[in-house]
Amino acid sequence: QALPFMLIAFMLFPRVSGPLWGLPQDAHSGLSGLSERMAPGSLNDLILSGAIAFRAKFEGEIPDKSQRYWRGPVFNDYDGKNWTATRTGQSYQQATQPMQEAPAIEARGTLFRYVTTVEPHNQRWLLALDLPVALPKDSVLAPTLEALTRERIRSRSRFSFASSVDFLVNRNENEGQLKLARTLPPGLNPRTRSLATEWKDKFKSPQMISNAALLHFRQEPFRYTLQPPLLGQQAVDDFLFVTRSGFCEHYASAYVFLMRAAGIPARVVAGYQGGEINPVDGYLTVRQSDAHAWSEIWIADRGWIRVDPTAAVAPSRIESGIEAALPASDP
């Protein structure tokens, strides 16, 4: 007798997001987006999703596709498998301390002004075009150069920015940041450390060591794929000398490990790269499938410099997008 009433209630009663006994933020636990932790394969689910991450509307000129790096979490801590970001809450509090110096940015060339409409992702990063020089209200540029908002983004939100894609930043970096960007867990990946030491002895400048690493990726039979073999305990050694197959996070992680082993401050940056312009309304749409990871190194008198090791292996990923770079056998 209750069955008809149950069916009527099921069809007509409004749905509630999340469990009735939970907190409001629990309703967003299934939101997709970048995480505070990155490991080999962690971006695969995002890459297979066509969901919109955010949209951007530029006032005038739109940067070239190869310049569209949208900065998310920065990973400094490495335990041999996982890269972990500085907790965004702490980064926000640290950046807003009265004695905290703001990042020193020397913007050059065109200044791009735009408004983003960000889908809820339950994190604080704003996914600004790298690198923002003007931020929206109640946001801050963290010491690791992420644009962060005070509250987690739990609803669709709009933000206004001005960014430069040609810049010098933190040419006189805090020594604490540099120390953090040189740290490696002891005893791991001896073959990678040996290769880095060889380059350090052979080449005298950080830029030459970086070029040697990129040339290694370019000349050796590395493969860009969403379906790489599993890695063992010596993950970077396995990737560089055995499997040589991986996705953007594999290349960024291996490159940063090599640089740190050579004594060069380096870190991994995750975010999105690219985006498609709608010819009707002029909006640039960035999807979860545009998720990407790249690297940064710090060089005296030049500051933090973006290095994208994926471009050495699969340049079409940066120039034409993910679909042009993956082999036909990948999903």
Short mmCIF file of all heavy atoms in Angstrom, two decimals, residues 49-58 62 65 68 70 115-117 119 272-291:
data_model
loop_
_atom_site.label_atom_id
_atom_site.label_comp_id
_atom_site.label_asym_id
_atom_site.label_seq_id
_atom_site.Cartn_x
_atom_site.Cartn_y
_atom_site.Cartn_z
N SER A 49 38.21 13.47 -18.28
CA SER A 49 36.95 14.18 -18.02
C SER A 49 36.84 15.39 -18.94
O SER A 49 37.79 16.18 -19.07
CB SER A 49 36.88 14.64 -16.56
OG SER A 49 35.80 15.53 -16.37
N GLY A 50 35.69 15.56 -19.54
CA GLY A 50 35.43 16.74 -20.35
C GLY A 50 34.76 17.86 -19.59
O GLY A 50 34.36 18.87 -20.18
N ALA A 51 34.64 17.71 -18.26
CA ALA A 51 33.97 18.72 -17.45
C ALA A 51 34.74 20.05 -17.51
O ALA A 51 35.97 20.07 -17.60
CB ALA A 51 33.86 18.26 -16.00
N ILE A 52 34.01 21.14 -17.44
CA ILE A 52 34.63 22.47 -17.48
C ILE A 52 35.26 22.77 -16.12
O ILE A 52 34.62 22.62 -15.08
CB ILE A 52 33.59 23.53 -17.85
CG1 ILE A 52 33.12 23.33 -19.30
CG2 ILE A 52 34.17 24.94 -17.68
CD1 ILE A 52 32.02 24.28 -19.72
N ALA A 53 36.51 23.20 -16.13
CA ALA A 53 37.18 23.65 -14.91
C ALA A 53 36.88 25.13 -14.67
O ALA A 53 36.55 25.54 -13.56
CB ALA A 53 38.68 23.41 -15.00
N PHE A 54 37.02 25.94 -15.72
CA PHE A 54 36.69 27.36 -15.63
C PHE A 54 36.63 27.94 -17.04
O PHE A 54 37.05 27.31 -18.01
CB PHE A 54 37.71 28.13 -14.77
CG PHE A 54 39.12 28.10 -15.30
CD1 PHE A 54 39.59 29.10 -16.13
CD2 PHE A 54 39.97 27.07 -14.96
CE1 PHE A 54 40.88 29.07 -16.63
CE2 PHE A 54 41.28 27.03 -15.45
CZ PHE A 54 41.73 28.04 -16.29
N ARG A 55 36.06 29.16 -17.13
CA ARG A 55 36.03 29.89 -18.38
C ARG A 55 36.66 31.25 -18.13
O ARG A 55 36.61 31.78 -17.02
CB ARG A 55 34.59 30.05 -18.89
CG ARG A 55 33.88 28.73 -19.09
CD ARG A 55 32.41 28.94 -19.42
NE ARG A 55 32.23 29.30 -20.82
CZ ARG A 55 31.35 30.18 -21.26
NH1 ARG A 55 30.59 30.83 -20.40
NH2 ARG A 55 31.22 30.44 -22.55
N ALA A 56 37.26 31.81 -19.18
CA ALA A 56 37.92 33.11 -19.06
C ALA A 56 37.48 34.02 -20.21
O ALA A 56 37.36 33.57 -21.35
CB ALA A 56 39.43 32.95 -19.09
N LYS A 57 37.23 35.27 -19.88
CA LYS A 57 36.87 36.28 -20.86
C LYS A 57 37.92 37.38 -20.82
O LYS A 57 38.07 38.08 -19.81
CB LYS A 57 35.48 36.87 -20.55
CG LYS A 57 35.03 37.93 -21.53
CD LYS A 57 34.74 37.35 -22.90
CE LYS A 57 34.08 38.40 -23.80
NZ LYS A 57 33.79 37.87 -25.15
N PHE A 58 38.68 37.54 -21.90
CA PHE A 58 39.74 38.54 -21.97
C PHE A 58 39.18 39.86 -22.50
O PHE A 58 38.31 39.88 -23.37
CB PHE A 58 40.87 38.05 -22.86
CG PHE A 58 41.72 36.98 -22.23
CD1 PHE A 58 41.31 35.66 -22.23
CD2 PHE A 58 42.92 37.30 -21.62
CE1 PHE A 58 42.09 34.67 -21.64
CE2 PHE A 58 43.71 36.32 -21.03
CZ PHE A 58 43.29 35.01 -21.04
N ILE A 62 44.21 37.79 -26.57
CA ILE A 62 44.28 36.52 -25.85
C ILE A 62 45.65 35.91 -26.08
O ILE A 62 46.14 35.89 -27.22
CB ILE A 62 43.18 35.55 -26.33
CG1 ILE A 62 41.80 36.14 -26.07
CG2 ILE A 62 43.30 34.19 -25.64
CD1 ILE A 62 40.65 35.30 -26.58
N LYS A 65 48.27 29.83 -27.39
CA LYS A 65 47.99 28.59 -26.66
C LYS A 65 49.20 28.11 -25.86
O LYS A 65 49.08 27.61 -24.75
CB LYS A 65 47.54 27.51 -27.63
CG LYS A 65 46.86 26.32 -26.97
CD LYS A 65 46.09 25.51 -27.98
CE LYS A 65 45.20 24.48 -27.27
NZ LYS A 65 44.30 23.79 -28.21
N ARG A 68 49.45 29.70 -22.36
CA ARG A 68 48.32 29.60 -21.44
C ARG A 68 48.58 28.55 -20.36
O ARG A 68 48.09 27.42 -20.41
CB ARG A 68 47.03 29.27 -22.20
CG ARG A 68 46.60 30.33 -23.18
CD ARG A 68 45.37 29.88 -23.95
NE ARG A 68 45.29 30.52 -25.25
CZ ARG A 68 44.65 30.02 -26.29
NH1 ARG A 68 44.01 28.85 -26.18
NH2 ARG A 68 44.62 30.66 -27.44
N TRP A 70 47.86 27.93 -16.57
CA TRP A 70 46.98 28.38 -15.50
C TRP A 70 47.45 27.73 -14.20
O TRP A 70 47.33 26.53 -14.01
CB TRP A 70 45.53 28.00 -15.82
CG TRP A 70 45.09 28.51 -17.17
CD1 TRP A 70 45.19 27.86 -18.35
CD2 TRP A 70 44.50 29.78 -17.46
NE1 TRP A 70 44.70 28.64 -19.38
CE2 TRP A 70 44.25 29.82 -18.85
CE3 TRP A 70 44.13 30.88 -16.67
CZ2 TRP A 70 43.67 30.92 -19.47
CZ3 TRP A 70 43.55 31.97 -17.29
CH2 TRP A 70 43.32 31.99 -18.67
N VAL A 115 38.52 38.04 -16.90
CA VAL A 115 37.66 37.60 -15.81
C VAL A 115 37.44 36.11 -15.97
O VAL A 115 37.13 35.63 -17.07
CB VAL A 115 36.30 38.34 -15.84
CG1 VAL A 115 35.37 37.79 -14.76
CG2 VAL A 115 36.50 39.84 -15.66
N THR A 116 37.63 35.35 -14.89
CA THR A 116 37.40 33.91 -14.92
C THR A 116 36.11 33.57 -14.19
O THR A 116 35.75 34.23 -13.21
CB THR A 116 38.56 33.13 -14.28
OG1 THR A 116 38.67 33.49 -12.89
CG2 THR A 116 39.87 33.41 -14.99
N THR A 117 35.44 32.55 -14.68
CA THR A 117 34.28 31.97 -13.99
C THR A 117 34.67 30.55 -13.63
O THR A 117 34.77 29.68 -14.51
CB THR A 117 33.03 31.97 -14.89
OG1 THR A 117 32.77 33.31 -15.33
CG2 THR A 117 31.83 31.43 -14.13
N GLU A 119 34.46 26.92 -11.79
CA GLU A 119 33.53 25.93 -11.25
C GLU A 119 33.99 25.51 -9.85
O GLU A 119 35.20 25.55 -9.55
CB GLU A 119 33.45 24.71 -12.16
CG GLU A 119 32.92 25.01 -13.56
CD GLU A 119 31.49 25.54 -13.52
OE1 GLU A 119 30.68 25.03 -12.71
OE2 GLU A 119 31.19 26.47 -14.28
N TYR A 272 46.51 23.92 -15.29
CA TYR A 272 45.92 23.60 -16.59
C TYR A 272 46.73 24.30 -17.67
O TYR A 272 47.32 25.36 -17.43
CB TYR A 272 44.45 24.05 -16.66
CG TYR A 272 43.57 23.35 -15.65
CD1 TYR A 272 43.42 23.86 -14.36
CD2 TYR A 272 42.91 22.17 -15.97
CE1 TYR A 272 42.63 23.21 -13.43
CE2 TYR A 272 42.11 21.53 -15.04
CZ TYR A 272 41.98 22.05 -13.77
OH TYR A 272 41.20 21.40 -12.85
N GLN A 273 46.75 23.70 -18.84
CA GLN A 273 47.49 24.31 -19.95
C GLN A 273 46.62 24.30 -21.19
O GLN A 273 46.11 23.25 -21.60
CB GLN A 273 48.80 23.54 -20.19
CG GLN A 273 49.85 24.31 -20.98
CD GLN A 273 49.56 24.40 -22.47
OE1 GLN A 273 49.05 23.46 -23.06
NE2 GLN A 273 49.87 25.55 -23.06
N GLY A 274 46.45 25.47 -21.79
CA GLY A 274 45.69 25.54 -23.04
C GLY A 274 44.33 26.16 -22.84
O GLY A 274 44.15 27.17 -22.16
N GLY A 275 43.33 25.53 -23.45
CA GLY A 275 41.97 26.05 -23.45
C GLY A 275 41.53 26.36 -24.87
O GLY A 275 42.35 26.70 -25.73
N GLU A 276 40.23 26.24 -25.11
CA GLU A 276 39.68 26.46 -26.44
C GLU A 276 38.82 27.72 -26.45
O GLU A 276 38.03 27.95 -25.53
CB GLU A 276 38.84 25.26 -26.88
CG GLU A 276 39.66 23.99 -27.11
CD GLU A 276 40.67 24.12 -28.22
OE1 GLU A 276 40.39 24.88 -29.19
OE2 GLU A 276 41.73 23.49 -28.13
N ILE A 277 38.95 28.53 -27.49
CA ILE A 277 38.19 29.77 -27.62
C ILE A 277 36.90 29.49 -28.37
O ILE A 277 36.90 28.89 -29.45
CB ILE A 277 39.02 30.83 -28.37
CG1 ILE A 277 40.31 31.12 -27.61
CG2 ILE A 277 38.21 32.10 -28.56
CD1 ILE A 277 41.28 32.00 -28.36
N ASN A 278 35.79 29.92 -27.79
CA ASN A 278 34.49 29.82 -28.45
C ASN A 278 34.37 30.99 -29.43
O ASN A 278 34.36 32.15 -29.01
CB ASN A 278 33.37 29.88 -27.42
CG ASN A 278 32.00 29.63 -28.01
OD1 ASN A 278 31.72 30.01 -29.15
ND2 ASN A 278 31.13 29.01 -27.23
N PRO A 279 34.30 30.72 -30.73
CA PRO A 279 34.26 31.82 -31.70
C PRO A 279 32.99 32.65 -31.63
O PRO A 279 32.94 33.77 -32.15
CB PRO A 279 34.38 31.09 -33.04
CG PRO A 279 33.87 29.72 -32.79
CD PRO A 279 34.23 29.40 -31.38
N VAL A 280 31.93 32.14 -30.98
CA VAL A 280 30.66 32.86 -30.91
C VAL A 280 30.70 33.95 -29.85
O VAL A 280 30.41 35.12 -30.11
CB VAL A 280 29.49 31.88 -30.64
CG1 VAL A 280 28.18 32.65 -30.49
CG2 VAL A 280 29.39 30.86 -31.76
N ASP A 281 31.06 33.56 -28.60
CA ASP A 281 31.03 34.55 -27.52
C ASP A 281 32.42 35.01 -27.07
O ASP A 281 32.55 35.89 -26.22
CB ASP A 281 30.26 34.00 -26.31
CG ASP A 281 30.85 32.71 -25.75
OD1 ASP A 281 31.99 32.37 -26.12
OD2 ASP A 281 30.17 32.04 -24.96
N GLY A 282 33.49 34.39 -27.63
CA GLY A 282 34.84 34.83 -27.30
C GLY A 282 35.38 34.30 -25.99
O GLY A 282 36.51 34.62 -25.62
N TYR A 283 34.60 33.49 -25.27
CA TYR A 283 35.08 32.91 -24.01
C TYR A 283 36.10 31.81 -24.29
O TYR A 283 35.97 31.06 -25.26
CB TYR A 283 33.92 32.32 -23.20
CG TYR A 283 33.22 33.33 -22.33
CD1 TYR A 283 32.16 34.10 -22.83
CD2 TYR A 283 33.60 33.52 -21.00
CE1 TYR A 283 31.51 35.03 -22.03
CE2 TYR A 283 32.94 34.43 -20.19
CZ TYR A 283 31.91 35.19 -20.72
OH TYR A 283 31.26 36.11 -19.93
N LEU A 284 37.08 31.73 -23.41
CA LEU A 284 38.05 30.64 -23.47
C LEU A 284 37.65 29.61 -22.43
O LEU A 284 37.51 29.94 -21.24
CB LEU A 284 39.46 31.16 -23.20
CG LEU A 284 40.60 30.15 -23.35
CD1 LEU A 284 41.83 30.82 -23.96
CD2 LEU A 284 40.98 29.54 -22.01
N THR A 285 37.43 28.37 -22.86
CA THR A 285 36.98 27.31 -21.97
C THR A 285 38.14 26.36 -21.66
O THR A 285 38.79 25.85 -22.59
CB THR A 285 35.83 26.51 -22.61
OG1 THR A 285 34.74 27.39 -22.87
CG2 THR A 285 35.36 25.40 -21.68
N VAL A 286 38.40 26.16 -20.39
CA VAL A 286 39.44 25.24 -19.94
C VAL A 286 38.76 24.07 -19.24
O VAL A 286 37.97 24.27 -18.30
CB VAL A 286 40.43 25.93 -18.98
CG1 VAL A 286 41.48 24.94 -18.49
CG2 VAL A 286 41.09 27.11 -19.68
N ARG A 287 39.04 22.86 -19.70
CA ARG A 287 38.38 21.66 -19.18
C ARG A 287 39.34 20.87 -18.29
O ARG A 287 40.55 21.10 -18.29
CB ARG A 287 37.87 20.79 -20.34
CG ARG A 287 36.87 21.52 -21.22
CD ARG A 287 36.34 20.63 -22.34
NE ARG A 287 35.41 21.38 -23.19
CZ ARG A 287 34.12 21.54 -22.93
NH1 ARG A 287 33.60 20.97 -21.84
NH2 ARG A 287 33.34 22.24 -23.73
N GLN A 288 38.77 19.93 -17.54
CA GLN A 288 39.61 19.06 -16.71
C GLN A 288 40.62 18.31 -17.56
O GLN A 288 41.71 17.99 -17.10
CB GLN A 288 38.74 18.08 -15.92
CG GLN A 288 37.77 18.73 -14.95
CD GLN A 288 38.43 19.52 -13.84
OE1 GLN A 288 39.64 19.44 -13.64
NE2 GLN A 288 37.65 20.28 -13.10
N SER A 289 40.27 18.03 -18.82
CA SER A 289 41.20 17.32 -19.71
C SER A 289 42.42 18.16 -20.05
O SER A 289 43.39 17.65 -20.64
CB SER A 289 40.48 16.89 -20.99
OG SER A 289 39.85 17.99 -21.61
N ASP A 290 42.41 19.46 -19.71
CA ASP A 290 43.58 20.32 -19.92
C ASP A 290 44.51 20.32 -18.71
O ASP A 290 45.48 21.10 -18.68
CB ASP A 290 43.13 21.76 -20.21
CG ASP A 290 42.37 21.88 -21.52
OD1 ASP A 290 42.86 21.33 -22.53
OD2 ASP A 290 41.29 22.50 -21.54
N ALA A 291 44.24 19.50 -17.70
CA ALA A 291 45.11 19.43 -16.51
C ALA A 291 46.54 19.09 -16.93
O ALA A 291 46.77 18.28 -17.85
CB ALA A 291 44.59 18.38 -15.53
#
